Short mmCIF file of all heavy atoms in Angstrom, two decimals:
data_model
loop_
_atom_site.label_atom_id
_atom_site.label_comp_id
_atom_site.label_asym_id
_atom_site.label_seq_id
_atom_site.Cartn_x
_atom_site.Cartn_y
_atom_site.Cartn_z
N PRO O 19 103.83 99.10 124.19
CA PRO O 19 102.63 99.01 123.36
C PRO O 19 101.68 100.16 123.62
O PRO O 19 101.57 100.66 124.74
CB PRO O 19 102.00 97.67 123.78
CG PRO O 19 103.11 96.90 124.43
CD PRO O 19 103.99 97.91 125.08
N LYS O 117 109.21 84.63 102.79
CA LYS O 117 109.27 85.97 102.23
C LYS O 117 110.37 86.07 101.17
O LYS O 117 110.18 86.64 100.08
CB LYS O 117 109.53 87.01 103.32
CG LYS O 117 108.33 87.35 104.17
CD LYS O 117 108.67 88.46 105.17
CE LYS O 117 107.46 88.83 106.00
NZ LYS O 117 107.77 89.86 107.02
N LEU O 244 99.73 99.54 108.05
CA LEU O 244 100.73 100.37 108.73
C LEU O 244 102.02 100.39 107.90
O LEU O 244 102.68 99.37 107.73
CB LEU O 244 101.01 99.82 110.12
CG LEU O 244 99.81 99.72 111.07
CD1 LEU O 244 100.24 99.09 112.40
CD2 LEU O 244 99.21 101.10 111.32
N ALA O 279 104.14 103.37 114.83
CA ALA O 279 103.34 102.37 114.12
C ALA O 279 103.60 100.97 114.66
O ALA O 279 102.68 100.15 114.76
CB ALA O 279 103.65 102.42 112.62
N ILE O 280 104.84 100.70 115.02
CA ILE O 280 105.17 99.41 115.64
C ILE O 280 104.44 99.26 116.97
O ILE O 280 103.85 98.22 117.27
CB ILE O 280 106.69 99.28 115.82
CG1 ILE O 280 107.40 99.31 114.46
CG2 ILE O 280 107.04 98.00 116.60
CD1 ILE O 280 108.91 99.38 114.55
N ARG O 281 104.44 100.32 117.74
CA ARG O 281 103.87 100.27 119.08
C ARG O 281 102.35 100.12 119.05
O ARG O 281 101.78 99.43 119.90
CB ARG O 281 104.28 101.52 119.86
CG ARG O 281 105.79 101.59 120.13
CD ARG O 281 106.19 102.91 120.76
NE ARG O 281 105.50 103.10 122.02
CZ ARG O 281 105.08 104.28 122.47
NH1 ARG O 281 105.26 105.38 121.75
NH2 ARG O 281 104.47 104.36 123.63
N ILE O 282 101.67 100.77 118.07
CA ILE O 282 100.22 100.59 118.04
C ILE O 282 99.87 99.18 117.55
O ILE O 282 98.85 98.62 117.95
CB ILE O 282 99.51 101.67 117.19
CG1 ILE O 282 99.87 101.58 115.72
CG2 ILE O 282 99.77 103.06 117.75
CD1 ILE O 282 99.06 102.56 114.86
N GLY O 283 100.76 98.60 116.73
CA GLY O 283 100.56 97.19 116.37
C GLY O 283 100.76 96.28 117.56
O GLY O 283 99.98 95.33 117.78
N MET O 284 101.78 96.56 118.36
CA MET O 284 102.02 95.77 119.57
C MET O 284 100.82 95.87 120.52
O MET O 284 100.51 94.92 121.24
CB MET O 284 103.28 96.28 120.27
CG MET O 284 104.57 96.00 119.51
SD MET O 284 105.99 96.96 120.16
CE MET O 284 106.04 96.38 121.86
N GLY O 285 100.14 97.01 120.49
CA GLY O 285 99.01 97.21 121.38
C GLY O 285 97.84 96.28 121.13
O GLY O 285 97.02 96.05 122.02
N VAL O 286 97.76 95.73 119.92
CA VAL O 286 96.69 94.76 119.62
C VAL O 286 97.25 93.34 119.57
O VAL O 286 96.63 92.43 119.01
CB VAL O 286 95.96 95.10 118.31
CG1 VAL O 286 95.20 96.40 118.45
CG2 VAL O 286 96.92 95.16 117.12
N GLY O 287 98.42 93.15 120.17
CA GLY O 287 98.98 91.81 120.31
C GLY O 287 99.92 91.36 119.22
O GLY O 287 100.27 90.18 119.15
N ALA O 288 100.39 92.28 118.37
CA ALA O 288 101.30 91.90 117.30
C ALA O 288 102.65 91.48 117.85
O ALA O 288 103.18 92.08 118.79
CB ALA O 288 101.48 93.05 116.32
N ALA O 289 103.21 90.44 117.24
CA ALA O 289 104.56 90.01 117.57
C ALA O 289 105.58 90.89 116.83
O ALA O 289 105.26 91.48 115.79
CB ALA O 289 104.76 88.55 117.18
N THR O 290 106.78 90.98 117.36
CA THR O 290 107.86 91.70 116.70
C THR O 290 109.04 90.77 116.49
O THR O 290 109.18 89.75 117.19
CB THR O 290 108.31 92.92 117.51
OG1 THR O 290 108.75 92.48 118.82
CG2 THR O 290 107.20 93.94 117.65
N ARG O 291 109.88 91.12 115.53
CA ARG O 291 111.10 90.35 115.25
C ARG O 291 112.26 91.31 115.00
O ARG O 291 112.06 92.43 114.53
CB ARG O 291 110.92 89.47 114.00
CG ARG O 291 109.84 88.41 114.11
CD ARG O 291 109.75 87.61 112.81
NE ARG O 291 110.98 86.89 112.52
CZ ARG O 291 111.59 86.87 111.34
NH1 ARG O 291 111.11 87.56 110.32
NH2 ARG O 291 112.68 86.16 111.16
N ALA O 292 113.47 90.85 115.31
CA ALA O 292 114.72 91.54 114.97
C ALA O 292 114.81 92.95 115.53
O ALA O 292 115.46 93.81 114.94
CB ALA O 292 114.91 91.56 113.45
N MET O 293 114.20 93.19 116.67
CA MET O 293 114.21 94.54 117.22
C MET O 293 115.60 94.99 117.68
O MET O 293 115.85 96.19 117.85
CB MET O 293 113.22 94.63 118.39
CG MET O 293 111.77 94.45 117.99
SD MET O 293 111.14 95.82 116.99
CE MET O 293 110.84 97.04 118.27
N GLY O 437 114.23 95.91 112.70
CA GLY O 437 113.17 95.16 113.36
C GLY O 437 111.83 95.84 113.29
O GLY O 437 111.73 97.05 113.04
N GLY O 438 110.78 95.05 113.49
CA GLY O 438 109.44 95.60 113.48
C GLY O 438 108.39 94.51 113.64
O GLY O 438 108.67 93.41 114.13
N LEU O 439 107.19 94.80 113.20
CA LEU O 439 106.08 93.86 113.34
C LEU O 439 106.31 92.62 112.50
O LEU O 439 106.87 92.68 111.39
CB LEU O 439 104.77 94.53 112.91
CG LEU O 439 104.37 95.81 113.66
CD1 LEU O 439 103.08 96.36 113.08
CD2 LEU O 439 104.24 95.54 115.15
N ASP O 440 105.89 91.49 113.01
CA ASP O 440 105.99 90.23 112.27
C ASP O 440 104.79 90.12 111.33
O ASP O 440 103.64 90.34 111.72
CB ASP O 440 105.98 89.06 113.26
CG ASP O 440 106.44 87.75 112.63
OD1 ASP O 440 106.94 87.79 111.49
OD2 ASP O 440 106.29 86.71 113.28
N THR O 441 105.06 89.81 110.07
CA THR O 441 104.01 89.71 109.06
C THR O 441 104.22 88.47 108.21
O THR O 441 105.31 87.90 108.17
CB THR O 441 104.02 90.94 108.12
OG1 THR O 441 105.33 91.08 107.55
CG2 THR O 441 103.66 92.21 108.87
N ASP O 442 103.17 88.07 107.51
CA ASP O 442 103.31 86.97 106.57
C ASP O 442 103.63 87.52 105.18
O ASP O 442 103.84 88.73 105.01
CB ASP O 442 102.07 86.06 106.57
CG ASP O 442 100.81 86.74 106.01
OD1 ASP O 442 100.90 87.84 105.44
OD2 ASP O 442 99.72 86.14 106.14
N ARG O 446 99.91 90.44 106.25
CA ARG O 446 99.06 90.31 107.43
C ARG O 446 99.93 90.35 108.68
O ARG O 446 100.93 89.64 108.77
CB ARG O 446 98.27 89.01 107.40
CG ARG O 446 97.35 88.84 106.19
CD ARG O 446 96.63 87.50 106.27
NE ARG O 446 95.81 87.23 105.10
CZ ARG O 446 96.24 86.61 104.01
NH1 ARG O 446 97.50 86.19 103.94
NH2 ARG O 446 95.43 86.40 102.99
N VAL O 447 99.53 91.14 109.66
CA VAL O 447 100.28 91.22 110.92
C VAL O 447 99.93 90.00 111.78
O VAL O 447 98.76 89.59 111.86
CB VAL O 447 99.97 92.53 111.65
CG1 VAL O 447 100.71 92.59 112.99
CG2 VAL O 447 100.37 93.72 110.77
N LEU O 448 100.96 89.47 112.45
CA LEU O 448 100.81 88.19 113.16
C LEU O 448 100.91 88.33 114.67
O LEU O 448 101.67 89.16 115.19
CB LEU O 448 101.90 87.22 112.69
CG LEU O 448 101.98 86.95 111.19
CD1 LEU O 448 103.16 86.04 110.89
CD2 LEU O 448 100.67 86.33 110.68
N HIS O 449 100.16 87.49 115.36
CA HIS O 449 100.36 87.26 116.79
C HIS O 449 101.61 86.41 116.99
O HIS O 449 102.16 85.85 116.04
CB HIS O 449 99.16 86.52 117.39
CG HIS O 449 97.91 87.31 117.50
ND1 HIS O 449 97.76 88.35 118.39
CD2 HIS O 449 96.72 87.21 116.84
CE1 HIS O 449 96.54 88.85 118.28
NE2 HIS O 449 95.89 88.20 117.34
N GLY O 450 102.03 86.28 118.24
CA GLY O 450 103.19 85.46 118.54
C GLY O 450 103.02 84.00 118.17
O GLY O 450 104.00 83.31 117.89
N ASP O 451 101.79 83.51 118.15
CA ASP O 451 101.55 82.10 117.81
C ASP O 451 101.41 81.89 116.30
O ASP O 451 101.11 80.79 115.85
CB ASP O 451 100.31 81.57 118.53
CG ASP O 451 99.02 82.31 118.14
OD1 ASP O 451 99.07 83.19 117.25
OD2 ASP O 451 97.97 82.00 118.74
N GLY O 452 101.61 82.96 115.53
CA GLY O 452 101.54 82.85 114.08
C GLY O 452 100.17 83.11 113.49
O GLY O 452 100.02 83.17 112.27
N SER O 453 99.15 83.28 114.33
CA SER O 453 97.82 83.59 113.83
C SER O 453 97.76 85.06 113.41
O SER O 453 98.52 85.90 113.90
CB SER O 453 96.76 83.30 114.89
OG SER O 453 96.95 84.12 116.03
N THR O 454 96.86 85.37 112.50
CA THR O 454 96.76 86.73 111.99
C THR O 454 95.86 87.60 112.85
O THR O 454 94.96 87.10 113.53
CB THR O 454 96.23 86.74 110.55
OG1 THR O 454 94.92 86.16 110.53
CG2 THR O 454 97.14 85.95 109.62
N ILE O 455 96.13 88.89 112.83
CA ILE O 455 95.28 89.86 113.51
C ILE O 455 94.30 90.39 112.47
O ILE O 455 94.71 91.08 111.53
CB ILE O 455 96.12 91.01 114.11
CG1 ILE O 455 97.09 90.45 115.15
CG2 ILE O 455 95.22 92.08 114.71
CD1 ILE O 455 98.04 91.47 115.73
N LEU O 458 94.42 93.95 110.16
CA LEU O 458 95.66 94.70 110.31
C LEU O 458 96.74 94.16 109.38
O LEU O 458 97.02 92.95 109.36
CB LEU O 458 96.16 94.65 111.76
CG LEU O 458 97.38 95.55 112.06
CD1 LEU O 458 97.05 97.02 111.81
CD2 LEU O 458 97.84 95.36 113.50
N ALA O 460 100.73 95.37 107.35
CA ALA O 460 101.87 96.27 107.49
C ALA O 460 102.93 95.93 106.46
O ALA O 460 102.97 94.81 105.93
CB ALA O 460 102.46 96.19 108.91
N THR O 464 108.24 99.44 109.11
CA THR O 464 107.38 99.14 110.26
C THR O 464 107.41 97.65 110.57
O THR O 464 107.07 97.24 111.68
CB THR O 464 105.93 99.60 109.97
OG1 THR O 464 105.94 101.02 109.79
CG2 THR O 464 104.99 99.26 111.10
N THR O 465 107.85 96.84 109.63
CA THR O 465 107.88 95.40 109.80
C THR O 465 109.31 94.88 109.85
O THR O 465 110.27 95.56 109.49
CB THR O 465 107.16 94.70 108.63
OG1 THR O 465 107.95 94.83 107.43
CG2 THR O 465 105.80 95.30 108.39
N ALA O 466 109.44 93.63 110.28
CA ALA O 466 110.69 92.88 110.08
C ALA O 466 110.57 92.24 108.70
O ALA O 466 109.81 91.29 108.53
CB ALA O 466 110.86 91.83 111.17
#
Side-chain angles (χ1 to χ4, degrees):
K117 283 183 179 178
L244 301 177
I280 297 172
R281 295 173 59 215
I282 66 174
M284 292 166 59
V286 294
T290 58
R291 298 180 63 227
M293 294 292 281
L439 302 178
D440 195 11
T441 55
D442 68 10
R446 300 180 184 89
V447 178
L448 305 176
H449 289 290
D451 62 4
S453 62
T454 61
I455 298 175
L458 187 61
T464 297
T465 71

